[in-house]
Amino acid sequence: MASGGPARGKRSRVTLLDVAELAGTSRSTASRALSGTGYVAEHIKERVQAAADRLGYVPDVSARTLKGRSSGVIGLLVSDLRNQFYAELAAGVEHTLSSEGYQVVLVDDHGSAERAVDAARAFLAMRADGVLIAPVGRGATELLVEHGMPVTEVDRRSGVRGCDVVTIDSRAGARAAVDHLLALGHRAIGFVVDETFWDTGRDRLKGYRAALRAAGVTAGRRHVLDLGHTARPAQEEVWRFLDAEPTLTAVFAANNVVAELVWLELKRRGVSVPDQYSLVCFDDLPWMRMVDPGVTAVRQPVFAMGERAAGLLLERVRHGGGGRSASVVLEPELAVRDSTSAPRG
């Protein structure tokens, strides 16, 4: 479905001469200071860099060879390549783009908004034809859109206008998971999440609460553990949470990272799953099918998400970055395995 309006007005490109004038140096001095070639006094380097940062200058390192032509490069910016979700997403992106003759430049920002902006600057400098991004802040998307770069956000949305978005219906997926537990007879259901800053975490919390509300079940704040709001190590927080809520008969983990924490803690305690605790999670990774019992999970079409996002970006690239922005929401499905059963006793 389509949403949003036209992209923001494009920012005129800041030149090296603009930076030199603001810093009070010659163009050649500014060039040496920013490129690191040739001698420039340290205090002048700092002055030039400050001017570049203030103006939002992006060095055009490839303009001499790519001027007026497509670079054939698409940037892909993700949050954590150790998370298999992003590896699968990247595979879907690469599958679509390679068939169209594009090279994918993959960057992991490690969940840092500052690193994401640095990566955005690098994509602009290499004149990438477009960028796919799983945002960790508004800054990187804003910088790319303001410079006229075609952008598609994937998995999360920053709220910046002028880019396409491909996400999963997290609220519906969470509700399906909790409805499954409710249908089995569970009423004391805990929810563990590692962030509610982004719409993914927020929507999964909303789905959890909506399912309980519809069933007439009251769940207080003590039944929800938000690891993003705690200072202690995550594993310790899961341990404290389970100890503090002995009435729980089931736990819903908001993603695969959280699910692993809960699974390991239950196994460390020698807890029987599902005899003592039922466990369901959002994200379906291979390990969840390999452990005993297999973990009931909300399956996301991650590879297809990458393919769809890449397809939207290619359409935007072909149309020069213009047109109305599109928002695509894919549907998850619940894979029921042996980690869930009716509560005992």
Side-chain angles (χ1 to χ4, degrees):
M1 60 180 178
S3 65
R8 306 168 75 178
K10 294 182 182 179
R11 176 194 292 176
S12 58
R13 192 175 187 88
V14 177
T15 67
L16 184 60
L17 182 58
D18 295 328
V19 175
E21 289 177 349
L22 181 59
T25 69
S26 68
R27 187 181 183 281
S28 60
T29 298
S31 176
R32 293 198 304 275
L34 293 173
S35 66
T37 58
Y39 173 77
V40 179
E42 193 61 35
H43 71 282
I44 294 178
K45 282 184 182 179
E46 292 174 357
R47 198 165 75 221
V48 171
Q49 187 60 60
D53 290 343
R54 180 177 173 183
L55 294 173
Y57 172 70
V58 178
D60 192 358
V61 297
S62 57
R64 289 188 298 274
T65 57
L66 298 177
K67 188 175 182 180
R69 296 166 46 200
S70 166
S71 67
V73 168
I74 296 292
L76 173 59
L77 183 58
V78 299
S79 299
D80 185 0
L81 278 175
R82 294 170 301 178
N83 186 335
Q84 191 169 342
F85 172 91
Y86 290 111
E88 184 74 2
L89 182 70
V93 167
E94 199 279 335
H95 179 261
T96 294
L97 294 179
S98 63
S99 66
E100 297 291 331
Y102 283 89
Q103 295 293 323
V104 179
V105 176
L106 175 60
V107 177
D108 184 346
D109 61 31
H110 304 289
S112 164
E114 183 178 337
R115 288 192 183 198
V117 171
D118 288 342
R121 287 179 176 144
F123 290 142
L124 288 167
M126 69 178 64
R127 288 202 168 188
D129 290 332
V131 174
L132 292 143
I133 178 173
V136 293
R138 292 175 59 94
T141 302
E142 284 180 333
L143 178 64
L144 293 166
V145 171
E146 286 173 359
H147 279 83
M149 177 70 71
V151 177
T152 296
E153 292 183 333
V154 59
D155 183 45
R156 298 186 291 250
R157 62 181 74 227
S158 67
V160 176
R161 298 182 65 186
C163 59
D164 300 322
V165 183
V166 179
T167 58
I168 293 292
D169 192 338
S170 286
R171 184 166 181 168
R175 182 154 185 174
V178 179
D179 281 344
H180 170 67
L181 292 171
L182 290 165
L184 290 171
H186 293 276
R187 291 300 179 266
I189 302 170
F191 178 64
V192 184
V193 63
D194 57 359
E195 59 81 20
T196 52
F197 179 78
W198 292 104
D199 50 350
T200 48
R202 285 197 307 271
D203 286 350
R204 289 169 198 181
L205 177 57
K206 289 177 181 177
Y208 161 81
R209 287 175 170 162
L212 294 179
R213 189 166 53 248
V217 175
T218 300
R221 291 185 177 181
R222 69 185 187 281
H223 286 161
V224 176
L225 172 61
D226 185 348
L227 294 169
H229 290 166
T230 62
R232 288 185 289 262
Q235 196 69 52
E236 180 181 345
E237 284 299 327
V238 172
W239 172 76
R240 288 173 178 271
F241 175 69
L242 295 177
D243 267 3
E245 294 303 322
T247 62
L248 292 181
T249 60
V251 176
F252 172 37
N255 57 49
N256 68 80
V257 175
V258 173
E260 186 173 346
L261 289 172
V262 175
W263 176 266
L264 290 174
E265 182 58 25
L266 293 176
K267 289 301 178 183
R268 187 189 70 80
R269 291 165 174 248
V271 169
S272 175
V273 177
D275 291 339
Q276 293 171 267
Y277 276 95
S278 281
L279 175 64
V280 62
C281 75
F282 210 111
D283 286 345
D284 185 20
L285 296 188
W287 73 262
M288 297 173 190
R289 300 188 289 275
M290 296 166 61
V291 296
D292 184 23
V295 180
T296 296
V298 178
R299 180 182 297 143
Q300 301 189 71
V302 184
F303 189 88
M305 183 191 295
E307 290 183 308
R308 190 67 181 274
L312 282 179
L313 184 65
L314 288 179
E315 284 300 309
R316 187 163 287 275
V317 168
R318 289 163 183 156
H319 291 88
R324 292 176 62 85
S325 57
S327 178
V328 175
V329 181
L330 302 181
E331 295 299 323
E333 62 177 338
L334 185 66
V336 177
R337 302 192 182 98
D338 292 336
S339 69
T340 51
S341 69
R344 304 293 195 265

